[in-house]
């Protein structure tokens, strides 16, 4: 699956995303970074960073952070962790929080995708669930990139 398959019209290809926004997206891997600190780190105001993300990614940065957490949790599931262990690895408060977030973002629960993740093997995420999701890919609803490969 390529970026063109999942990027909605009007959203920039990832190669054209503002460098400051790319830096902010990379910094979001650290869950402890708050938006004001993140914005200052990349030389933007929080309002400007929010607007830039919405315009260029098509999603708020909070959604991007959740996507990164889901990707970390999916890696843990693929490596044989339990749902509770994967939730902790992804930075979720508990298994229920992980399940709610995954259902909200993909339309699927962790237990529904567990067989696919385990079949992919350790360290090999299925297409559509990479830590560097293509810019602009919508994360909600059953037609998300993640939901397409998993169903």
């Amino acid at each position: 699956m390529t970026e063109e398959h999942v990027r909605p019209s009007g959203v920039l290809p990832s190669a054209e995303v503002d460098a400051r926004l790319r830096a902010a997206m990379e910094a979001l891997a650290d869950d402890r970074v708050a938006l004001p600190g993140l914005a200052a780190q990349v030389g933007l105001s929080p309002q400007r960073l929010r607007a830039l993300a919405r315009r260029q990614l098509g999603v708020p940065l909070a959604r991007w952070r959740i996507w990164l957490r889901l990707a970390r949790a999916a890696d843990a599931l693929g490596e044989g962790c339990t749902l509770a262990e994967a939730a902790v690895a992804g930075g979720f408060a508990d298994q229920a929080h992980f399940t709610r977030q995954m259902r909200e973002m993909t339309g699927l629960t962790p237990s529904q995708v567990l067989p696919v993740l385990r079949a992919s093997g350790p360290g090999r995420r299925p297409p559509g669930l990479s830590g560097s999701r293509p810019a602009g890919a919508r994360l909600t609803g059953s037609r998300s990139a993640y939901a397409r490969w998993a169903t």
Side-chain angles (χ1 to χ4, degrees), residues 2 7 9 12 14 24 29 35 54 56 75 82 86 116 127 132 134 145:
T2 66
R7 187 181 66 243
S9 62
L12 293 175
S14 58
L35 183 64
R54 281 210 172 265
Q56 292 194 351
D75 281 346
T82 66
V116 176
S132 56

Side-chain angles (χ1 to χ4, degrees), residues 78-131:
E79 293 171 1
C81 290
T82 66
L83 292 175
E85 291 167 339
V88 170
F92 296 98
D94 54 31
Q95 182 178 335
H97 183 218
F98 172 37
T99 299
R100 279 192 309 275
Q101 290 293 301
M102 182 173 267
R103 185 181 307 120
E104 180 183 317
M105 298 286 278
T106 68
L108 302 167
T109 65
S111 60
Q112 288 174 307
V113 299
L114 186 58
V116 176
L117 292 169
R118 295 270 164 87
S120 296
R124 291 180 23 222
R125 274 191 215 123
L129 187 63
S130 66

Side-chain angles (χ1 to χ4, degrees), residues 2-98:
T2 66
E3 180 176 350
E4 288 73 31
H5 289 109
V6 295
R7 187 181 66 243
S9 62
V11 175
L12 293 175
S14 58
E16 297 176 24
V17 171
D18 186 286
R20 296 167 297 180
L21 181 55
R22 279 196 308 261
M25 292 163 56
E26 290 172 13
L28 281 174
D30 180 1
D31 283 334
R32 298 172 302 238
V33 177
L35 183 64
L38 179 62
Q41 187 177 331
V42 297
L44 295 169
S45 70
Q47 297 81 6
R48 179 70 182 124
L49 181 57
R50 275 192 216 94
L52 189 61
R54 281 210 172 265
R55 188 177 78 244
Q56 292 194 351
L57 299 177
V59 295
L61 284 174
R63 290 283 175 193
W64 181 263
R65 180 175 277 169
I66 294 168
W67 185 257
L68 291 174
R69 288 177 175 175
L70 289 172
R72 285 194 308 259
D75 281 346
L77 287 173
E79 293 171 1
C81 290
T82 66
L83 292 175
E85 291 167 339
V88 170
F92 296 98
D94 54 31
Q95 182 178 335
H97 183 218
F98 172 37

